[in-house]
Amino acid sequence: RLPPVHTTHERSRVHLKACTVCRNSEANVDIAAGAECFMEGNSVFDGSRSGVLVGGCVTLRGGNSVFGHRHVNVCVQKGGVLLSSASSSAAVPVAAAEAAAGFGENDIPCRPPDSSDFSQRSRRASKLVAARSSSSGDDSHDGAGGVFALNHDRIFKGQQSGLWVQEGALKVDLGHCEVFGNTSAGVDVSRGATAQLTGCTIRDCLKAGVLITGGVVRLHQNHIRRNGHAGVCIQEGGHGECRGNLVCAGRQAGVWVREGSSVDMECDEVEGNAYANVDCARGSLVRLVACRLAFSQRSGIVVQGRAVLLGNALENNGVAGILVKRSRVGQQQQLHKEKKEGT
């Protein structure tokens, strides 16, 4: 067991392997700006503040568990760089990706012929989207903010958010990780930050699974389930891009798009949520293509803002497949008109 790992010199370097760092009054691992740290197979837990505080460069090489902290488990600060040596994969040619996904040259997964084979086509489309995303090679870092790439690690049971991406962190790349059981949101992306989550499981958090408070988040092939609030909550100024995700069994809405925010969803399955599977609030914009919205206890999608729907399957919802509501402003305008006309 180690005391807190704290680097202050801009050229400091430390390599942590199979260590236990726990129960410190400050952050368990604090990497200052300009310093460098490699982490592999460590347990970091029960700190009085954050688990891993990233101001410099941290490389996670797999097998790390970060849990049980009074503040956020992992905090990426402005200018911080958090990488994973296992997260970078070779680019897949688009033609080969299409063949592996089972699509022909002109087969575009926008409108399934019927609902019986929709899930199969959605999974095939998800493979295609993921392969095309990997072939784009968008892993650059221009030094303006933090880059966070995490692979095969666990972030769980924190007393606040599991992962907090602060303003000024340029990019977060969270791949094939498990984020669960946190008291606040599983992943919290602040205004001005950018994040990408691929193949992750985000579950059993007391608040939202993914909370976008003004940043931009790309969600590809994730399982987001059993969270206390919305599975994905996009607040004012935020934007989400969702491809091939499963968002289910939430205690509120599946995807909640609040006023002044937007989301672009393709080949996602949103089902079994206590509120609407997709809730499009007044002043928001939602685009759904080839998605499946099913088994909500209320409606498949509630529209108070603007929504574009193409080739979706909406089935077995408790109230309506599509419920279009008049916004509060629209109600006030209608009442004023009726009063003026004397009706």
Side-chain angles (χ1 to χ4, degrees):
R1 292 185 178 180
L2 300 177
V5 178
H6 177 61
T7 62
T8 56
H9 195 275
E10 63 177 11
R11 295 183 180 179
S12 299
R13 177 178 292 181
V14 61
H15 186 182
L16 297 177
K17 184 174 181 179
C19 297
T20 299
V21 188
C22 63
R23 301 190 181 98
N24 295 287
S25 58
E26 297 293 331
N28 277 323
V29 178
D30 186 352
I31 307 303
E36 188 174 8
C37 178
F38 298 91
M39 299 180 63
E40 182 178 357
N42 301 287
S43 293
V44 182
F45 62 94
D46 287 349
S48 297
R49 300 191 68 180
S50 297
V52 180
L53 191 61
V54 182
C57 178
V58 174
T59 301
L60 300 179
R61 294 180 171 176
N64 298 288
S65 294
V66 186
F67 61 97
H69 295 89
R70 294 185 183 178
H71 200 246
V72 293
N73 280 323
V74 178
C75 180
V76 184
Q77 297 177 315
K78 183 178 181 179
V81 178
L82 187 52
L83 305 170
S84 171
S85 59
S87 64
S88 59
S89 58
V92 179
V94 173
E98 291 177 344
F103 287 105
E105 182 178 356
N106 299 314
D107 189 8
I108 300 176
C110 287
R111 186 182 299 275
D114 56 68
S115 60
S116 61
D117 68 340
F118 182 83
S119 297
Q120 181 180 358
R121 291 180 58 87
S122 178
R123 285 191 292 270
R124 290 163 58 202
S126 301
K127 293 179 183 178
L128 176 60
V129 170
R132 284 179 171 174
S133 299
S134 65
S135 65
S136 63
D138 185 16
D139 276 329
S140 61
H141 169 57
D142 61 5
V147 178
F148 175 27
L150 187 66
N151 200 305
H152 300 293
D153 294 276
R154 301 194 306 164
I155 304 173
F156 61 100
K157 294 186 178 178
Q159 296 184 27
Q160 294 189 25
S161 297
L163 168 65
W164 181 24
V165 186
Q166 294 184 347
E167 182 177 359
L170 176 65
K171 183 179 178 181
V172 169
D173 192 352
L174 189 67
H176 304 286
C177 300
E178 192 172 14
V179 182
F180 64 95
N182 297 285
T183 302
S184 189
V187 178
D188 187 345
V189 181
S190 299
R191 182 178 299 275
T194 303
Q196 178 165 319
L197 282 68
T198 304
C200 297
T201 298
I202 303 170
R203 61 177 176 85
D204 298 314
C205 296
L206 292 186
K207 293 188 178 179
V210 178
L211 177 61
I212 307 172
T213 57
V216 177
V217 177
R218 297 176 179 88
L219 302 173
H220 294 170
Q221 295 183 297
N222 302 284
H223 285 195
I224 304 172
R225 64 179 186 267
R226 293 199 308 264
N227 294 287
H229 288 183
V232 179
C233 178
I234 309 173
Q235 297 186 348
E236 182 178 2
H239 176 69
E241 297 179 7
C242 304
R243 301 288 186 275
N245 302 282
L246 172 62
V247 184
C248 64
R251 294 179 178 86
Q252 292 189 14
V255 179
W256 185 17
V257 189
R258 302 185 65 176
E259 182 177 359
S261 62
S262 60
V263 67
D264 186 357
M265 300 176 61
E266 184 175 342
C267 302
D268 295 292
E269 296 193 20
V270 189
E271 59 183 39
N273 296 284
Y275 293 2
N277 280 322
V278 177
D279 191 337
C280 173
R282 177 174 61 89
S284 65
L285 174 61
V286 173
R287 178 178 176 272
L288 277 75
V289 177
C291 295
R292 179 173 182 263
L293 311 179
F295 300 104
S296 169
Q297 296 181 29
R298 297 191 182 179
S299 297
I301 178 171
V302 175
V303 181
Q304 298 184 72
R306 292 183 296 166
V308 178
L309 309 179
L310 175 62
N312 302 282
L314 300 99
E315 56 192 30
N316 295 312
N317 295 287
V319 177
I322 304 173
L323 177 60
V324 182
K325 288 186 175 181
R326 186 187 305 168
S327 68
R328 185 174 301 176
V329 172
Q331 290 177 343
Q332 292 173 349
Q333 291 174 346
Q334 182 66 22
L335 289 172
H336 179 74
K337 179 180 178 181
E338 291 178 352
K339 183 178 180 181
K340 188 175 181 180
E341 295 175 351
T343 60

